C-alpha cells in the first residue's frame, strides 16, 4: 500500500488535514472538519490510525471528535467530560494523548480525564484537582488550561502535565497522587526572592525526548529548559537563542539530542518572530548550542506567532518538521529543518499541529 503522511491541524474554525505521500513533495488540504468548532488539539493513535480532535468553548461546550477513516467521517462525544456538581464547568478540551488503548484529555479549567472506550465516555481523574495546591493555581493568558500531556511510553502509571500557570505536575501511580516538578524553572513575574517557587510557573510546552523516558524539554514563559530525571531538576538551555520567550517545542522522533523551537520576541513586545524574520531553531546537542534555520521562511515583515501545540515532527527519515502560524500558514520541512515550504495558507489561526504516517 502507498504510504501516507498526514499533518493534522487544529484551528479556531475546525480541523484540517494536509496529506502527502512518503516523499512529502506535494500536499493536498482537506477540511474544515468538526463543523468548524474551535479545535485546540488534533492527534492520532499511531497504532490504529484513529484521529481525535479536542476542543469546544463556552458556547459549544467541550467535546472530543473522532474519525476512524482518516477524516472522511466524524463523530463526537462529551459524555463524562464534566466536573462534579458545584465545581466550575469544563469549558473546552485543550490537549489529547493516546497510549495503549487509552485516551487522555486535558481541559479548562485545568483537569485530566481518561477514556478507555475510544472517546465515547470519560472519567475524571480526580487526583490532580485534589492536589493541596489546587486552590492557589492562577490562570495564564489563555486561562487555567492543561495544555501539555506527556504519558510515559512504557510505564502506564507515569504521566507529566503542563498547566498554565501552575507549572509541571507528575504522577507515578496512574493519577491517584501528583507532585509539582518545577525545581530550577524561573517565574520572573513574581517578586525577587520568590521567583523559583514550588509551583506557579507558566510552562508553555512540555515534550519528551525519545529514549528512556527521563529526558524532558520545556519551553517556559521565562526560559528554555531540559531535565534528565523526569522533571525533578531543570537546567536552563536558553543561551544562544534570540529570546527566552516562546511557545512550541518539537522533539526529534529518534534522536534525543535534537530539538526544534520557534522563539518569539517576548511576552510584551508583540509575541511575533524576532525582527519579523522567521526561523526555526535547532539543537543537535540537547541545548548546548543552537542553529537558526531560515531557508524558505519569510525573512521580512513576518509578524506572526506560533502557539504552544503548533509544531511537530514526523517519524520518517529524515524527519519532517511542521509548524502553523497565527496568520493561518503551515510550513513543512522534509529535511529536518534545512529548507521549508508553505503547504497551506489563509487558514484560521492554527492552534495545533501533529502528524500521522500510515499505510492505510
Amino acid at each position: 500500500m502507498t504510504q501516507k503522511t498526514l499533518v493534522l491541524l487544529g484551528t479556531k474554525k475546525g480541523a484540517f488535514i494536509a496529506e502527502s505521500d512518503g516523499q512529502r513533495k506535494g500536499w493536498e488540504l482537506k477540511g474544515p472538519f468538526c463543523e468548524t468548532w474551535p479545535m485546540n488539539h488534533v492527534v492520532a493513535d499511531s497504532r490504529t490510525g484513529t484521529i481525535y480532535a479536542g476542543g469546544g468553548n463556552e458556547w459549544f461546550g467541550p467535546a472530543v471528535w473522532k474519525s476512524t477513516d482518516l477524516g472522511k467521517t466524524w463523530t463526537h462525544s462529551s459524555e463524562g467530560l464534566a466536573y462534579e456538581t458545584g465545581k466550575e464547568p469544563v469549558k473546552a478540551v485543550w490537549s489529547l494523548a493516546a497510549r495503549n488503548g487509552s485516551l487522555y484529555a486535558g481541559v479548562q479549567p485545568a483537569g485530566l480525564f481518561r477514556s478507555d472506550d475510544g472517546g465515547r465516555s470519560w472519567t475524571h481523574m480526580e487526583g490532580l484537582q485534589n492536589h493541596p495546591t489546587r486552590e492557589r493555581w492562577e490562570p495564564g493568558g489563555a486561562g487555567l488550561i492543561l495544555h501539555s500531556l506527556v504519558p510515559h511510553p512504557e510505564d502506564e502509571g507515569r504521566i507529566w502535565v503542563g498547566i498554565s500557570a501552575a507549572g509541571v505536575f507528575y504522577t507515578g501511580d496512574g493519577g491517584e497522587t501528583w507532585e509539582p516538578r518545577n525545581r530550577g524553572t524561573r517565574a520572573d513575574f513574581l517578586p525577587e526572592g520568590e521567583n523559583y517557587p514550588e509551583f506557579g510557573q507558566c510552562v508553555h510546552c512540555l515534550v519528551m525526548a525519545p529514549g528512556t523516558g527521563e529526558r524532558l524539554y520545556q519551553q517556559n514563559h521565562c526560559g528554555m529548559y531540559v531535565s534528565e530525571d523526569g522533571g525533578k531538576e531543570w537546567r536552563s538551555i536558553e543561551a544562544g537563542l534570540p529570546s527566552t520567550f516562546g511557545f512550541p517545542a518539537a522533539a526529534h522522533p529518534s534522536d534525543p539530542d535534537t530539538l526544534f523551537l520557534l522563539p518569539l520576541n517576548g511576552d510584551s513586545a508583540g509575541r511575533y518572530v524576532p525582527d519579523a524574520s522567521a526561523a526555526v531553531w535547532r539543537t543537535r546537542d540537547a541545548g548546548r548550542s543552537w542553529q537558526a534555520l531560515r531557508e524558505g521562511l519569510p525573512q521580512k515583515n513576518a509578524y506572526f506567532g506560533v502557539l504552544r501545540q503548533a509544531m511537530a515532527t514526523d517519524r520518517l527519515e529524515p524527519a519532517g518538521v511542521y509548524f502553523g502560524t497565527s496568520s493561518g500558514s503551515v510550513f513543512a520541512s522534509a529535511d529536518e529543518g534545512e529548507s521549508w515550504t508553505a503547504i497551506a495558507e489563509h487558514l484560521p489561526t492554527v492552534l495545533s499541529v501533529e502528524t500521522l504516517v500510515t499505510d492505510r
Side-chain angles (χ1 to χ4, degrees):
M1 299 179 66
T2 302
Q3 190 175 60
K4 294 181 179 180
T5 304
L6 305 183
V7 179
L8 313 175
L9 306 171
T11 81
K12 286 191 173 181
K13 298 181 180 180
F16 292 79
I17 299 175
E19 181 178 318
S20 186
D21 57 18
Q23 300 300 310
R24 301 164 292 182
K25 292 182 178 180
W27 295 86
E28 178 185 1
L29 184 68
K30 301 176 181 180
F33 304 116
C34 308
E35 297 179 6
T36 68
W37 285 32
M39 288 292 112
N40 291 316
H41 201 196
V42 184
V43 304
D45 185 336
S46 60
R47 300 189 316 161
T48 65
T50 299
I51 299 172
Y52 297 99
N57 56 22
E58 291 178 85
W59 177 261
F60 293 108
V64 174
W65 294 69
K66 175 181 178 179
S67 175
T68 58
D69 52 15
L70 301 183
K72 294 183 180 67
T73 60
W74 295 81
T75 59
H76 70 88
S77 176
S78 59
E79 182 183 340
L81 278 173
Y83 291 138
E84 296 74 12
T85 302
K87 289 190 175 182
E88 184 179 353
V90 175
K91 297 177 181 178
V93 174
W94 269 83
S95 55
L96 296 169
R99 182 185 63 179
N100 297 335
S102 295
L103 184 65
Y104 297 88
V107 303
Q108 178 189 13
L112 185 62
F113 289 77
R114 173 173 171 161
S115 174
D116 294 316
D117 57 10
R120 287 187 294 273
S121 63
W122 296 87
T123 300
H124 181 206
M125 300 175 68
E126 299 179 10
L128 183 59
Q129 285 227 331
N130 290 337
H131 195 272
T133 64
R134 173 63 182 85
E135 295 303 317
R136 290 175 285 162
W137 295 356
E138 295 290 341
L144 186 62
I145 57 174
L146 195 161
H147 54 69
S148 291
L149 250 173
V150 184
H152 191 280
E154 298 177 357
D155 188 335
E156 289 285 339
R158 303 181 69 190
I159 306 170
W160 294 259
V161 299
I163 300 171
S164 293
V168 174
F169 283 76
Y170 166 80
T171 179
D173 56 14
E176 292 294 324
T177 60
W178 295 79
E179 63 183 66
R181 289 206 168 176
N182 301 294
R183 185 176 298 170
T185 55
R186 303 189 308 276
D188 291 341
F189 42 82
L190 295 179
E192 188 174 353
E194 301 177 18
N195 50 10
Y196 283 89
E198 180 188 15
F199 67 96
Q201 289 86 342
C202 191
V203 56
H204 281 178
C205 184
L206 182 70
V207 296
M208 179 178 286
T212 65
E214 295 301 320
R215 177 181 286 175
L216 300 171
Y217 293 102
Q218 176 188 161
Q219 173 68 70
N220 194 284
H221 190 108
C222 305
M224 185 66 209
Y225 301 91
V226 66
S227 172
E228 303 291 355
D229 55 10
K232 294 177 183 177
E233 299 279 348
W234 294 92
R235 174 173 56 84
S236 171
I237 54 172
E238 61 207 48
L241 291 170
S243 168
T244 61
F245 181 87
F247 286 97
H252 191 279
S254 59
D255 180 2
D257 291 339
T258 297
L259 183 76
F260 302 90
L261 298 180
L262 207 150
L264 303 181
N265 65 345
D267 61 350
S268 59
R271 300 191 178 198
Y272 53 81
V273 292
D275 301 319
S277 176
V280 171
W281 291 73
R282 182 183 66 196
T283 180
R284 294 288 199 187
D285 53 15
R288 287 184 288 275
S289 64
W290 296 92
Q291 176 187 8
L293 308 171
R294 300 181 182 273
E295 183 178 336
L297 296 178
Q299 296 303 292
K300 295 176 63 176
N301 301 321
Y303 293 99
F304 58 73
V306 178
L307 297 176
R308 68 184 82 247
Q309 297 182 124
M311 175 178 269
T313 58
D314 66 31
R315 62 175 177 83
L316 297 175
E317 178 62 39
V321 190
Y322 310 86
F323 70 89
T325 73
S326 58
S327 56
S329 294
V330 180
F331 292 91
S333 171
D335 53 13
E336 304 198 356
E338 296 293 336
S339 61
W340 297 88
T341 302
I343 63 172
E345 296 180 301
H346 314 305
L347 295 178
T349 297
V350 179
L351 303 175
S352 75
V353 176
E354 300 286 358
T355 65
L356 172 66
V357 178
T358 179
D359 293 326
R360 295 180 65 201

